[in-house]
Amino acid sequence: MSQDHVDAAAPRRSIYRHALAVRLTHWLNVLSLTLLLMSGLQIFNAHPALYWGDKSDFEHPLLAMTAADAPDGTGIGVTTVLGHEITTTGVLGLSFSANGRPVERGFPSWATIPSYQDLATGRLWHFFFAWLLVLNGAAYLAYALASRHLGRDLLPTRHDLAHIGRSIRDHLRLRFPKGKEAEHYNVLQKLAYLLVIFVLLPLIVLAGLAMSPQIDAGFPVLLDVFGGRQSARTVHFIAAWTLVAFVLVHLVMVLVSGVWNNLRSMITGRYVVEEEEASDGR
Amino acid sequence: MDDRGTIERRLLLRAAAAAAALPLAGCDKLSSSDWFRSLLASAEGANLRVQRLLAGRQALAPEYTEAEISPRFRSNGTSEPDDPAYQALARENFASWRLAVDGLVERPTSFSLAELAAMPSRTQITRHDCVEGWSCIGKWTGVRLSALLDTVGLKPNARYIVFHCADSLGGGFEAPASYYESIDLVDAFREQTILAYAMNGAALPIPYGAPLRLRVENQLGYKMAKYVMRVEVVDDLTRIAGGGGGYWEDRGYAWYAGI
Ligand code: HEM
Ligand code: HEM
């Protein structure tokens, strides 16, 4: 076990890991993504169904959340995914208000902003924080390019890629690098960050814009890219949950690789590196 | 599990729920405070300006083929106005219906359906995007709004075109209020902006806004007023109804519905 190596006497040193610009844009990004997800679920609830193509084929949604009557007269929540019905009472389709009353809604009130059904207000939140996400993302990219953060810290080196197998094995054993190697992101971390920054986030922004009738008039090519406005809505939804999946893994890695050290580094910039021990088993 | 463990677990769960509920309650509180709503709403102006800049003021919405027309076009909002005057008009197929065009125009005029049909028209197969999230495709034929406005002549201070409708929404908690909508001159003079009297090749059916409805193809469905009875040209929207420029705008929705 990796804990075997923890030695109170192991030499440590503190390094400056994250520039102010990275820390600031990171936390603004966390804020806007959280609010975008929850206001997005509010928007979704106005018509809790997804389709493929240009128009909605109401009889054949890819995904739909509805409430139905159980044989005993009580309400149940039903989620239909690609034609398969799943009972999701309490969470999707039908959930319970604070006073225990069953309410028909796609996602439950604890997942949406506002907590009550209000599409207009959900849209207010969504478009405000969409702008924050985009402007913050542009500021981050400008900084990452100008300061060479992108090239220096995020692009995998040839050496990184050659040793990706080892990095995967280390991750599976929750064994994290020490010494010189710990000063940089490892290769899986770099690839995950690049995927989020250059694929997922641009994808969700473009899919969001493809749902705009005004943008579609100016850039009909967006509809060709996504395969229609309803497809863009579906892609937007899938991209949102893929981001959630990334964040869950990201949070687990932050937790298991030294939660206070990681958080301190993303708040104050300083990160403590444990020196490599000669007796390291590798 | 012993009782102690269960109680502790329950307490822990309850504490976690409370910790999660706190920011949620905060968001609800912010959602109903005026200053925060106007902060959020500042994005609407950015949407309008940046989207028009990017897409261009003449951009046409994509048009589709006959084969792509929705077999079942959804009808939202009112599907049959209960106003007795409207119902009387509907019973005689809108033969004595007239569209009033007034306000800041040089020659206030009213038009019969036949007169509108004789003016420059446009037919287009377009996608209708509802603010709720769904889309349907339909074919619309109508008089170009620009032709109508050129016929009556706009006064120099004209800024918005307001559409007054025969249907009312509300009831229950809210007193019923007449539907209305408004657009500015940029959208009014787009080639695809029409007052439609036909849908999918037949006279416009009542659920879709007979005898006349607006089509502004670069905006969402709630902008496209149905059952239009009067077109009023104004320089300021704040004096009409709730002042927001439309029925839904008066209830919190954005006036610019290009996204
Ligand atoms: C510039 C960024 C974004 C833009 C322009 C944008 C735009 C939109 C629009 C126009 C809708 C309404 C769709 C409809 O008519 O139903 C929507 C819905 C939604 N948005 Fe976004 N959005 C953005 C970013 C995000 C992000 C980052 C997330 C999640 C982390 C997100 C999650 C959602 C969800 C879950 C919905 C509900 C409907 C659906 O899944 O498409 N959005 N967004
Ligand atoms: C509460 C939630 C979050 C916490 C506690 C957190 C924490 C952290 C920490 C500690 C780091 C530094 C990792 C290291 O030094 O090895 C980091 C980096 C990063 N995080 Fe997060 N994070 C959170 C949410 C997110 C979200 C929502 C995203 C985007 C979807 C994200 C994207 C990134 C990226 C791209 C980096 C690398 C930044 C760079 O070096 O330019 N994080 N995060």
Side-chain angles (χ1 to χ4, degrees):
Chain A
M1 294 298 299
S2 52
Q3 278 92 327
D4 295 349
H5 298 281
V6 176
D7 176 353
R12 297 155 164 258
R13 67 201 151 82
S14 162
I15 59 166
Y16 186 62
R17 188 172 173 92
H18 300 296
L20 178 63
V22 170
R23 288 178 271 141
L24 203 65
T25 50
H26 180 268
W27 293 118
L28 279 175
N29 193 45
V30 172
L31 176 79
S32 41
L33 280 178
T34 309
L35 296 172
L36 277 163
L37 176 69
M38 297 178 71
S39 58
L41 298 180
Q42 165 75 242
I43 297 175
F44 176 86
N45 277 1
H47 182 77
L50 297 173
Y51 312 89
W52 199 257
D54 290 304
K55 54 181 191 275
S56 305
D57 179 358
F58 296 111
E59 277 78 34
H60 302 99
L62 298 179
L63 170 80
M65 298 176 190
T66 50
D69 284 329
D72 64 355
T74 57
I76 54 170
V78 179
T79 301
T80 310
V81 189
L82 302 172
H84 302 282
E85 291 193 357
I86 309 162
T87 304
T88 48
T89 313
V91 188
L92 307 178
L94 181 135
S95 44
F96 300 94
S97 66
N99 54 22
R101 219 162 32 85
V103 189
E104 177 170 5
R105 54 191 346 263
F107 286 92
S109 67
W110 51 260
T112 66
I113 291 177
S115 65
Y116 45 89
Q117 186 58 45
D118 182 351
L119 173 61
T121 305
R123 285 168 51 85
L124 277 182
W125 283 84
H126 207 72
F127 297 137
F128 182 86
F129 287 98
W131 275 108
L132 182 64
L133 177 88
V134 167
L135 296 177
N136 185 55
Y140 170 84
L141 275 187
Y143 170 83
L145 286 171
S147 70
R148 315 214 51 257
H149 170 57
L150 181 65
R152 210 166 2 101
D153 305 324
L154 287 171
L155 287 183
T157 61
R158 198 160 300 180
H159 175 269
D160 277 345
L161 292 174
H163 295 82
I164 192 163
R166 203 194 104 188
S167 186
I168 294 174
R169 279 195 301 276
D170 284 351
H171 270 81
L172 290 176
R173 292 188 223 153
L174 297 184
R175 186 196 287 264
F176 297 100
K178 294 182 177 177
K180 218 76 224 103
E181 263 186 75
E183 289 179 19
H184 309 286
Y185 294 146
N186 62 64
V187 59
L188 293 186
Q189 206 177 357
K190 287 181 180 177
L191 292 176
Y193 292 160
L194 289 177
L195 188 75
V196 166
I197 297 165
F198 291 103
V199 180
L200 269 182
L201 288 173
L203 183 74
I204 205 167
V205 172
L206 287 178
L209 291 175
M211 288 187 269
S212 150
Q214 179 71 84
I215 291 295
D216 286 349
F219 307 92
V221 62
L222 270 181
L223 293 170
D224 300 332
V225 168
F226 288 104
R229 179 181 191 256
Q230 289 301 317
S231 308
R233 187 164 182 257
T234 299
V235 171
H236 196 71
F237 187 85
I238 294 172
W241 287 104
T242 311
L243 278 169
V244 172
F246 160 80
V247 172
L248 288 181
V249 174
H250 186 53
L251 289 183
V252 167
M253 297 319 283
V254 166
L255 274 176
V256 299
S257 63
V259 60
W260 297 121
N261 196 24
N262 278 315
L263 283 182
R264 187 192 332 98
S265 81
M266 236 343 158
I267 296 168
T268 69
R270 299 216 72 90
Y271 184 78
V272 172
V273 179
E274 247 177 70
E275 289 304 0
E276 209 137 15
E277 290 166 69
S279 64
D280 192 306
R282 292 206 56 88
Chain B
M1 236 8 225
D2 65 1
D3 278 356
R4 245 295 220 38
T6 327
I7 291 170
E8 270 171 11
R9 194 144 22 97
R10 215 178 278 157
L11 275 179
L12 202 73
L13 274 178
R14 210 171 288 167
L22 212 66
L24 273 179
C27 287
D28 282 357
K29 218 172 176 146
L30 286 174
S31 295
S32 54
S33 75
D34 284 341
W35 71 269
F36 192 75
R37 287 186 78 91
S38 39
L39 173 69
L40 292 182
S42 62
E44 183 190 341
N47 285 345
L48 169 71
R49 274 181 280 276
V50 174
Q51 291 205 337
R52 274 195 182 161
L53 188 75
L54 289 176
R57 295 176 161 229
Q58 255 105 57
L60 294 185
E63 296 191 15
Y64 298 83
T65 62
E66 298 268 352
E68 290 169 293
I69 292 176
S70 291
R72 199 165 67 80
F73 200 110
R74 187 166 281 205
S75 152
N76 236 27
T78 309
S79 48
E80 184 163 12
D82 45 21
D83 172 41
Y86 174 87
Q87 295 198 334
L89 287 167
R91 269 193 299 276
E92 37 132 32
N93 244 336
F94 303 103
S96 59
W97 172 92
R98 293 186 80 81
L99 177 74
V101 184
D102 55 26
L104 299 175
V105 298
E106 303 293 353
R107 298 168 292 280
T109 319
S110 81
F111 300 86
S112 69
L113 266 181
E115 283 163 348
L116 290 176
M119 292 172 71
S121 75
R122 194 175 199 281
T123 295
Q124 57 210 29
I125 303 176
T126 51
R127 198 187 67 223
H128 178 97
D129 299 326
C130 179
V131 67
E132 291 172 355
W134 49 265
S135 310
C136 288
I137 294 176
K139 177 164 134 181
W140 310 96
T141 303
V143 52
R144 288 190 53 186
L145 184 59
S146 61
L148 190 71
L149 295 177
D150 287 341
T151 307
V152 294
L154 293 182
K155 292 209 164 139
N157 53 341
R159 287 199 55 204
Y160 301 101
I161 315 297
V162 181
F163 305 87
H164 297 279
C165 308
D167 57 327
S168 313
L169 289 175
F173 296 114
E174 243 186 295
S178 294
Y179 204 89
Y180 76 105
E181 258 306 338
S182 62
I183 58 177
D184 65 9
L185 297 186
V186 175
D187 281 343
F189 282 90
R190 280 182 200 266
E191 190 181 327
Q192 288 170 321
T193 302
I194 59 174
L195 284 167
Y197 41 72
M199 176 188 186
N200 295 343
L204 186 63
I206 287 182
Y208 305 97
L212 197 70
R213 76 165 309 165
L214 178 64
R215 298 293 314 167
V216 210
E217 306 293 357
N218 54 308
Q219 296 210 47
L220 298 177
Y222 66 87
K223 294 303 284 186
M224 304 194 222
K226 305 196 280 190
Y227 318 108
V228 176
M229 306 299 279
R230 174 180 167 220
V231 174
E232 184 191 10
V233 180
V234 300
D235 58 352
D236 179 14
L237 295 171
T238 60
R239 288 192 295 268
I240 301 167
Y247 177 87
W248 288 113
E249 289 84 334
D250 288 344
R251 285 152 187 82
Y253 283 84
W255 178 79
Y256 174 66
I259 182 160

